[in-house]
Amino acid sequence: MLTQYVLLAVFGIAMAHFEGVVVVYLRKAIGLLDADSEAGNKELLEQVPKLTIKIEMTREAATIIMLVTLALLVGNSWLDRAMVFLWTFAFWDLFYYVSLYVVIKWPPRLTTTDVLFLIPRPWIAPVWFPVGISTLTIIGIGVFYLFPAIS
């Protein structure tokens, strides 16, 4: 069980870096890589062509489909599948921001706003929110599985 969850975390981290690199290339391609990083992505969203936003929505949907598929393949019960999905999602979401920071030093602060998802419409919040939720999810699932007598 522990090995499986370590491997799921590695998968989530690798997926996060892959997606972070795609976002860097996308920002470079549409001329927003060197935009004011203090403003956050909320303001940049208005500068992104509508077709690009629609394409990004398909990338986001594909990401969720990949995580659901992994959970369905790995999990043994509905609870286990939910845990696999949430665990991998949390590592992906947390390390997406780590990857962006390592590669382009973004976000400059945890209070910087970001567009978290585009589906079904833009979800906008400070970066600390998804980082906090992902961290709590990892801790919660870790406690649930590593110390089952407590939970």
Side-chain angles (χ1 to χ4, degrees):
M1 172 83 60
L2 180 61
T3 302
Q4 181 181 30
Y5 273 75
V6 168
L7 291 173
L8 288 166
V10 169
F11 177 86
I13 293 167
M15 190 170 155
H17 181 67
F18 179 80
E19 188 161 339
V21 169
V22 167
V23 167
V24 169
Y25 289 149
L26 177 62
R27 288 178 70 156
K28 181 72 171 171
I30 60 178
L32 297 176
L33 185 59
D34 299 320
D36 181 15
S37 64
E38 298 296 317
N41 284 341
K42 179 181 178 181
E43 291 79 8
L44 295 178
L45 183 62
E46 297 167 5
Q47 300 175 37
V48 177
K50 298 289 185 229
L51 178 59
T52 303
I53 289 174
K54 288 181 180 182
I55 293 169
E56 273 298 284
M57 291 171 80
T58 67
R59 182 182 60 81
E60 287 182 357
T63 299
I64 299 301
I65 290 168
M66 288 167 36
L67 291 171
V68 167
T69 302
L70 181 67
L72 291 172
L73 287 170
V74 172
N76 298 317
S77 66
W78 283 108
L79 176 62
D80 194 38
R81 289 178 185 120
M83 293 292 196
V84 167
F85 174 83
L86 291 171
W87 175 263
T88 312
F89 184 99
F91 273 94
W92 159 70
D93 203 23
L94 179 62
F95 282 89
Y96 167 74
Y97 288 107
V98 170
S99 181
L100 285 177
Y101 189 79
V102 167
V103 174
I104 61 172
K105 301 294 184 246
W106 193 92
R109 289 186 296 282
L110 291 175
T111 56
T112 303
T113 57
D114 189 22
V115 178
L116 308 180
F117 284 104
L118 295 168
I119 300 170
R121 56 184 162 73
W123 302 14
I124 299 168
V127 171
W128 66 261
F129 184 75
V131 167
I133 296 294
S134 293
T135 302
L136 289 174
T137 301
I138 291 166
I139 291 169
I141 292 172
V143 167
F144 183 81
Y145 277 118
L146 295 176
F147 306 103
I150 294 173
S151 55

mmCIF file of all heavy atoms in Angstrom, residues 97-128:
data_model
loop_
_atom_site.group_PDB
_atom_site.id
_atom_site.type_symbol
_atom_site.label_atom_id
_atom_site.label_comp_id
_atom_site.label_asym_id
_atom_site.label_seq_id
_atom_site.Cartn_x
_atom_site.Cartn_y
_atom_site.Cartn_z
ATOM 1 N N TYR A 97 2.496 24.101 -8.956
ATOM 2 C CA TYR A 97 2.990 25.412 -8.536
ATOM 3 C C TYR A 97 4.476 25.372 -8.207
ATOM 4 O O TYR A 97 5.204 26.322 -8.505
ATOM 5 C CB TYR A 97 2.172 25.950 -7.354
ATOM 6 C CG TYR A 97 0.793 26.362 -7.785
ATOM 7 C CD1 TYR A 97 -0.324 25.606 -7.444
ATOM 8 C CD2 TYR A 97 0.603 27.487 -8.577
ATOM 9 C CE1 TYR A 97 -1.588 25.971 -7.869
ATOM 10 C CE2 TYR A 97 -0.661 27.861 -9.010
ATOM 11 C CZ TYR A 97 -1.747 27.098 -8.653
ATOM 12 O OH TYR A 97 -2.991 27.458 -9.088
ATOM 13 N N VAL A 98 4.943 24.283 -7.629
ATOM 14 C CA VAL A 98 6.375 24.142 -7.367
ATOM 15 C C VAL A 98 7.142 24.181 -8.689
ATOM 16 O O VAL A 98 8.150 24.874 -8.821
ATOM 17 C CB VAL A 98 6.674 22.833 -6.593
ATOM 18 C CG1 VAL A 98 8.177 22.566 -6.524
ATOM 19 C CG2 VAL A 98 6.072 22.885 -5.196
ATOM 20 N N SER A 99 6.650 23.449 -9.683
ATOM 21 C CA SER A 99 7.300 23.403 -10.990
ATOM 22 C C SER A 99 7.340 24.784 -11.638
ATOM 23 O O SER A 99 8.382 25.212 -12.147
ATOM 24 C CB SER A 99 6.572 22.413 -11.900
ATOM 25 O OG SER A 99 7.200 22.348 -13.156
ATOM 26 N N LEU A 100 6.210 25.488 -11.616
ATOM 27 C CA LEU A 100 6.193 26.833 -12.196
ATOM 28 C C LEU A 100 7.171 27.762 -11.485
ATOM 29 O O LEU A 100 7.859 28.564 -12.118
ATOM 30 C CB LEU A 100 4.783 27.435 -12.139
ATOM 31 C CG LEU A 100 3.772 26.895 -13.136
ATOM 32 C CD1 LEU A 100 2.411 27.541 -12.899
ATOM 33 C CD2 LEU A 100 4.227 27.128 -14.560
ATOM 34 N N TYR A 101 7.253 27.638 -10.180
ATOM 35 C CA TYR A 101 8.164 28.501 -9.443
ATOM 36 C C TYR A 101 9.620 28.178 -9.783
ATOM 37 O O TYR A 101 10.425 29.081 -10.001
ATOM 38 C CB TYR A 101 7.931 28.406 -7.932
ATOM 39 C CG TYR A 101 8.730 29.456 -7.221
ATOM 40 C CD1 TYR A 101 8.292 30.775 -7.177
ATOM 41 C CD2 TYR A 101 9.948 29.149 -6.645
ATOM 42 C CE1 TYR A 101 9.040 31.767 -6.573
ATOM 43 C CE2 TYR A 101 10.707 30.127 -6.027
ATOM 44 C CZ TYR A 101 10.250 31.435 -5.995
ATOM 45 O OH TYR A 101 11.008 32.406 -5.403
ATOM 46 N N VAL A 102 9.943 26.897 -9.868
ATOM 47 C CA VAL A 102 11.316 26.497 -10.189
ATOM 48 C C VAL A 102 11.697 26.959 -11.595
ATOM 49 O O VAL A 102 12.802 27.462 -11.823
ATOM 50 C CB VAL A 102 11.482 24.964 -10.049
ATOM 51 C CG1 VAL A 102 12.784 24.478 -10.674
ATOM 52 C CG2 VAL A 102 11.399 24.564 -8.580
ATOM 53 N N VAL A 103 10.774 26.828 -12.541
ATOM 54 C CA VAL A 103 11.083 27.128 -13.943
ATOM 55 C C VAL A 103 11.044 28.624 -14.254
ATOM 56 O O VAL A 103 11.943 29.144 -14.914
ATOM 57 C CB VAL A 103 10.137 26.339 -14.886
ATOM 58 C CG1 VAL A 103 10.345 26.734 -16.336
ATOM 59 C CG2 VAL A 103 10.341 24.844 -14.710
ATOM 60 N N ILE A 104 10.004 29.333 -13.797
ATOM 61 C CA ILE A 104 9.868 30.755 -14.173
ATOM 62 C C ILE A 104 9.686 31.685 -12.968
ATOM 63 O O ILE A 104 9.333 32.854 -13.132
ATOM 64 C CB ILE A 104 8.714 30.977 -15.179
ATOM 65 C CG1 ILE A 104 7.365 30.554 -14.597
ATOM 66 C CG2 ILE A 104 9.008 30.302 -16.505
ATOM 67 C CD1 ILE A 104 6.160 30.938 -15.463
ATOM 68 N N LYS A 105 9.891 31.159 -11.770
ATOM 69 C CA LYS A 105 9.746 31.964 -10.538
ATOM 70 C C LYS A 105 8.344 32.545 -10.390
ATOM 71 O O LYS A 105 8.157 33.664 -9.934
ATOM 72 C CB LYS A 105 10.793 33.084 -10.461
ATOM 73 C CG LYS A 105 12.216 32.612 -10.477
ATOM 74 C CD LYS A 105 12.534 31.815 -9.238
ATOM 75 C CE LYS A 105 13.989 31.423 -9.183
ATOM 76 N NZ LYS A 105 14.203 30.008 -9.284
ATOM 77 N N TRP A 106 7.336 31.757 -10.806
ATOM 78 C CA TRP A 106 5.941 32.162 -10.643
ATOM 79 C C TRP A 106 5.208 31.088 -9.876
ATOM 80 O O TRP A 106 5.415 29.904 -10.173
ATOM 81 C CB TRP A 106 5.263 32.363 -12.010
ATOM 82 C CG TRP A 106 3.955 33.070 -11.857
ATOM 83 C CD1 TRP A 106 3.748 34.407 -11.931
ATOM 84 C CD2 TRP A 106 2.684 32.482 -11.566
ATOM 85 N NE1 TRP A 106 2.429 34.685 -11.691
ATOM 86 C CE2 TRP A 106 1.744 33.525 -11.460
ATOM 87 C CE3 TRP A 106 2.232 31.189 -11.348
ATOM 88 C CZ2 TRP A 106 0.409 33.308 -11.169
ATOM 89 C CZ3 TRP A 106 0.904 30.961 -11.052
ATOM 90 C CH2 TRP A 106 -0.002 32.026 -10.979
ATOM 91 N N PRO A 107 4.417 31.384 -8.950
ATOM 92 C CA PRO A 107 3.990 32.711 -8.498
ATOM 93 C C PRO A 107 5.035 33.333 -7.556
ATOM 94 O O PRO A 107 5.727 32.610 -6.843
ATOM 95 C CB PRO A 107 2.691 32.428 -7.737
ATOM 96 C CG PRO A 107 2.873 31.034 -7.208
ATOM 97 C CD PRO A 107 3.693 30.307 -8.241
ATOM 98 N N PRO A 108 5.121 34.660 -7.569
ATOM 99 C CA PRO A 108 6.104 35.308 -6.691
ATOM 100 C C PRO A 108 5.741 35.191 -5.212
ATOM 101 O O PRO A 108 6.617 35.201 -4.354
ATOM 102 C CB PRO A 108 6.098 36.759 -7.153
ATOM 103 C CG PRO A 108 4.781 36.957 -7.815
ATOM 104 C CD PRO A 108 4.408 35.625 -8.411
ATOM 105 N N ARG A 109 4.443 35.072 -4.934
ATOM 106 C CA ARG A 109 3.957 34.932 -3.550
ATOM 107 C C ARG A 109 2.743 34.010 -3.540
ATOM 108 O O ARG A 109 2.046 33.884 -4.541
ATOM 109 C CB ARG A 109 3.552 36.290 -2.981
ATOM 110 C CG ARG A 109 4.715 37.209 -2.689
ATOM 111 C CD ARG A 109 4.256 38.485 -1.997
ATOM 112 N NE ARG A 109 3.379 39.311 -2.820
ATOM 113 C CZ ARG A 109 3.798 40.098 -3.805
ATOM 114 N NH1 ARG A 109 5.058 40.154 -4.105
ATOM 115 N NH2 ARG A 109 2.931 40.822 -4.490
ATOM 116 N N LEU A 110 2.461 33.448 -2.385
ATOM 117 C CA LEU A 110 1.275 32.590 -2.257
ATOM 118 C C LEU A 110 -0.015 33.405 -2.330
ATOM 119 O O LEU A 110 -1.081 32.843 -2.566
ATOM 120 C CB LEU A 110 1.331 31.795 -0.956
ATOM 121 C CG LEU A 110 2.407 30.710 -0.907
ATOM 122 C CD1 LEU A 110 2.457 30.071 0.479
ATOM 123 C CD2 LEU A 110 2.182 29.659 -1.974
ATOM 124 N N THR A 111 0.066 34.712 -2.165
ATOM 125 C CA THR A 111 -1.120 35.564 -2.261
ATOM 126 C C THR A 111 -1.425 35.985 -3.702
ATOM 127 O O THR A 111 -2.453 36.610 -3.949
ATOM 128 C CB THR A 111 -0.955 36.820 -1.387
ATOM 129 O OG1 THR A 111 0.241 37.497 -1.770
ATOM 130 C CG2 THR A 111 -0.897 36.450 0.088
ATOM 131 N N THR A 112 -0.560 35.629 -4.639
ATOM 132 C CA THR A 112 -0.801 35.927 -6.053
ATOM 133 C C THR A 112 -2.045 35.185 -6.512
ATOM 134 O O THR A 112 -2.236 34.009 -6.191
ATOM 135 C CB THR A 112 0.413 35.490 -6.904
ATOM 136 O OG1 THR A 112 1.580 36.141 -6.413
ATOM 137 C CG2 THR A 112 0.211 35.813 -8.369
ATOM 138 N N THR A 113 -2.907 35.849 -7.273
ATOM 139 C CA THR A 113 -4.113 35.184 -7.764
ATOM 140 C C THR A 113 -3.794 34.346 -8.997
ATOM 141 O O THR A 113 -2.893 34.656 -9.759
ATOM 142 C CB THR A 113 -5.234 36.187 -8.109
ATOM 143 O OG1 THR A 113 -4.738 37.107 -9.076
ATOM 144 C CG2 THR A 113 -5.717 36.918 -6.891
ATOM 145 N N ASP A 114 -4.574 33.293 -9.142
ATOM 146 C CA ASP A 114 -4.400 32.404 -10.288
ATOM 147 C C ASP A 114 -5.767 31.952 -10.768
ATOM 148 O O ASP A 114 -6.744 31.963 -10.016
ATOM 149 C CB ASP A 114 -3.559 31.188 -9.896
ATOM 150 C CG ASP A 114 -3.165 30.338 -11.088
ATOM 151 O OD1 ASP A 114 -3.156 30.858 -12.227
ATOM 152 O OD2 ASP A 114 -2.839 29.153 -10.890
ATOM 153 N N VAL A 115 -5.811 31.552 -12.011
ATOM 154 C CA VAL A 115 -6.998 30.901 -12.557
ATOM 155 C C VAL A 115 -6.786 29.407 -12.306
ATOM 156 O O VAL A 115 -5.958 28.773 -12.949
ATOM 157 C CB VAL A 115 -7.163 31.198 -14.060
ATOM 158 C CG1 VAL A 115 -8.375 30.481 -14.617
ATOM 159 C CG2 VAL A 115 -7.248 32.697 -14.300
ATOM 160 N N LEU A 116 -7.503 28.869 -11.333
ATOM 161 C CA LEU A 116 -7.279 27.491 -10.913
ATOM 162 C C LEU A 116 -7.774 26.494 -11.942
ATOM 163 O O LEU A 116 -7.117 25.499 -12.228
ATOM 164 C CB LEU A 116 -7.952 27.240 -9.562
ATOM 165 C CG LEU A 116 -7.625 28.237 -8.450
ATOM 166 C CD1 LEU A 116 -8.348 27.859 -7.177
ATOM 167 C CD2 LEU A 116 -6.140 28.373 -8.230
ATOM 168 N N PHE A 117 -8.962 26.732 -12.466
ATOM 169 C CA PHE A 117 -9.558 25.911 -13.520
ATOM 170 C C PHE A 117 -10.386 26.815 -14.410
ATOM 171 O O PHE A 117 -10.828 27.881 -13.993
ATOM 172 C CB PHE A 117 -10.477 24.811 -12.944
ATOM 173 C CG PHE A 117 -9.744 23.654 -12.353
ATOM 174 C CD1 PHE A 117 -9.637 23.515 -10.983
ATOM 175 C CD2 PHE A 117 -9.166 22.694 -13.162
ATOM 176 C CE1 PHE A 117 -8.964 22.447 -10.428
ATOM 177 C CE2 PHE A 117 -8.489 21.620 -12.617
ATOM 178 C CZ PHE A 117 -8.386 21.501 -11.246
ATOM 179 N N LEU A 118 -10.620 26.354 -15.620
ATOM 180 C CA LEU A 118 -11.475 27.078 -16.560
ATOM 181 C C LEU A 118 -12.836 26.411 -16.695
ATOM 182 O O LEU A 118 -13.753 26.982 -17.281
ATOM 183 C CB LEU A 118 -10.809 27.166 -17.935
ATOM 184 C CG LEU A 118 -9.525 27.994 -17.979
ATOM 185 C CD1 LEU A 118 -8.796 27.772 -19.293
ATOM 186 C CD2 LEU A 118 -9.838 29.473 -17.772
ATOM 187 N N ILE A 119 -12.974 25.170 -16.191
ATOM 188 C CA ILE A 119 -14.197 24.402 -16.360
ATOM 189 C C ILE A 119 -15.016 24.461 -15.074
ATOM 190 O O ILE A 119 -14.472 24.188 -14.012
ATOM 191 C CB ILE A 119 -13.868 22.930 -16.696
ATOM 192 C CG1 ILE A 119 -13.060 22.851 -17.991
ATOM 193 C CG2 ILE A 119 -15.125 22.091 -16.814
ATOM 194 C CD1 ILE A 119 -12.494 21.472 -18.283
ATOM 195 N N PRO A 120 -16.262 24.724 -15.099
ATOM 196 C CA PRO A 120 -17.086 25.120 -16.241
ATOM 197 C C PRO A 120 -16.932 26.603 -16.583
ATOM 198 O O PRO A 120 -17.274 27.034 -17.666
ATOM 199 C CB PRO A 120 -18.509 24.826 -15.771
ATOM 200 C CG PRO A 120 -18.462 24.987 -14.299
ATOM 201 C CD PRO A 120 -17.073 24.571 -13.887
ATOM 202 N N ARG A 121 -16.392 27.368 -15.631
ATOM 203 C CA ARG A 121 -16.036 28.768 -15.863
ATOM 204 C C ARG A 121 -14.810 29.028 -15.016
ATOM 205 O O ARG A 121 -14.460 28.221 -14.155
ATOM 206 C CB ARG A 121 -17.192 29.701 -15.504
ATOM 207 C CG ARG A 121 -17.717 29.569 -14.108
ATOM 208 C CD ARG A 121 -18.930 30.464 -13.904
ATOM 209 N NE ARG A 121 -19.731 30.104 -12.759
ATOM 210 C CZ ARG A 121 -19.388 30.299 -11.482
ATOM 211 N NH1 ARG A 121 -18.237 30.834 -11.198
ATOM 212 N NH2 ARG A 121 -20.182 29.942 -10.514
ATOM 213 N N PRO A 122 -14.107 30.130 -15.223
ATOM 214 C CA PRO A 122 -12.862 30.351 -14.465
ATOM 215 C C PRO A 122 -13.063 30.370 -12.947
ATOM 216 O O PRO A 122 -13.953 31.034 -12.435
ATOM 217 C CB PRO A 122 -12.402 31.721 -14.974
ATOM 218 C CG PRO A 122 -13.000 31.855 -16.328
ATOM 219 C CD PRO A 122 -14.338 31.165 -16.235
ATOM 220 N N TRP A 123 -12.231 29.594 -12.271
ATOM 221 C CA TRP A 123 -12.161 29.595 -10.809
ATOM 222 C C TRP A 123 -10.921 30.409 -10.478
ATOM 223 O O TRP A 123 -9.817 30.040 -10.864
ATOM 224 C CB TRP A 123 -11.969 28.200 -10.253
ATOM 225 C CG TRP A 123 -12.995 27.176 -10.591
ATOM 226 C CD1 TRP A 123 -13.967 27.229 -11.551
ATOM 227 C CD2 TRP A 123 -13.140 25.907 -9.957
ATOM 228 N NE1 TRP A 123 -14.693 26.072 -11.549
ATOM 229 C CE2 TRP A 123 -14.213 25.243 -10.572
ATOM 230 C CE3 TRP A 123 -12.468 25.262 -8.934
ATOM 231 C CZ2 TRP A 123 -14.629 23.976 -10.197
ATOM 232 C CZ3 TRP A 123 -12.881 24.004 -8.556
ATOM 233 C CH2 TRP A 123 -13.946 23.365 -9.185
ATOM 234 N N ILE A 124 -11.090 31.487 -9.762
ATOM 235 C CA ILE A 124 -9.976 32.386 -9.473
ATOM 236 C C ILE A 124 -9.805 32.494 -7.962
ATOM 237 O O ILE A 124 -10.778 32.703 -7.231
ATOM 238 C CB ILE A 124 -10.228 33.767 -10.109
ATOM 239 C CG1 ILE A 124 -10.336 33.604 -11.629
ATOM 240 C CG2 ILE A 124 -9.133 34.750 -9.731
ATOM 241 C CD1 ILE A 124 -10.864 34.807 -12.360
ATOM 242 N N ALA A 125 -8.562 32.325 -7.506
ATOM 243 C CA ALA A 125 -8.273 32.395 -6.076
ATOM 244 C C ALA A 125 -6.774 32.637 -5.893
ATOM 245 O O ALA A 125 -5.989 32.421 -6.817
ATOM 246 C CB ALA A 125 -8.681 31.098 -5.383
ATOM 247 N N PRO A 126 -6.377 33.041 -4.698
ATOM 248 C CA PRO A 126 -4.943 33.144 -4.419
ATOM 249 C C PRO A 126 -4.307 31.748 -4.450
ATOM 250 O O PRO A 126 -4.966 30.749 -4.143
ATOM 251 C CB PRO A 126 -4.873 33.731 -3.009
ATOM 252 C CG PRO A 126 -6.257 34.065 -2.604
ATOM 253 C CD PRO A 126 -7.202 33.454 -3.580
ATOM 254 N N VAL A 127 -3.054 31.687 -4.800
ATOM 255 C CA VAL A 127 -2.344 30.414 -4.921
ATOM 256 C C VAL A 127 -2.327 29.647 -3.596
ATOM 257 O O VAL A 127 -2.334 28.417 -3.597
ATOM 258 C CB VAL A 127 -0.910 30.655 -5.454
ATOM 259 C CG1 VAL A 127 -0.066 29.404 -5.392
ATOM 260 C CG2 VAL A 127 -0.973 31.187 -6.883
ATOM 261 N N TRP A 128 -2.342 30.346 -2.472
ATOM 262 C CA TRP A 128 -2.310 29.651 -1.179
ATOM 263 C C TRP A 128 -3.501 28.711 -1.021
ATOM 264 O O TRP A 128 -3.407 27.701 -0.317
ATOM 265 C CB TRP A 128 -2.228 30.616 0.011
ATOM 266 C CG TRP A 128 -3.418 31.493 0.221
ATOM 267 C CD1 TRP A 128 -3.548 32.800 -0.167
ATOM 268 C CD2 TRP A 128 -4.655 31.148 0.858
ATOM 269 N NE1 TRP A 128 -4.791 33.280 0.181
ATOM 270 C CE2 TRP A 128 -5.491 32.284 0.811
ATOM 271 C CE3 TRP A 128 -5.143 29.991 1.454
ATOM 272 C CZ2 TRP A 128 -6.783 32.297 1.342
ATOM 273 C CZ3 TRP A 128 -6.434 30.001 1.992
ATOM 274 C CH2 TRP A 128 -7.230 31.147 1.937
#
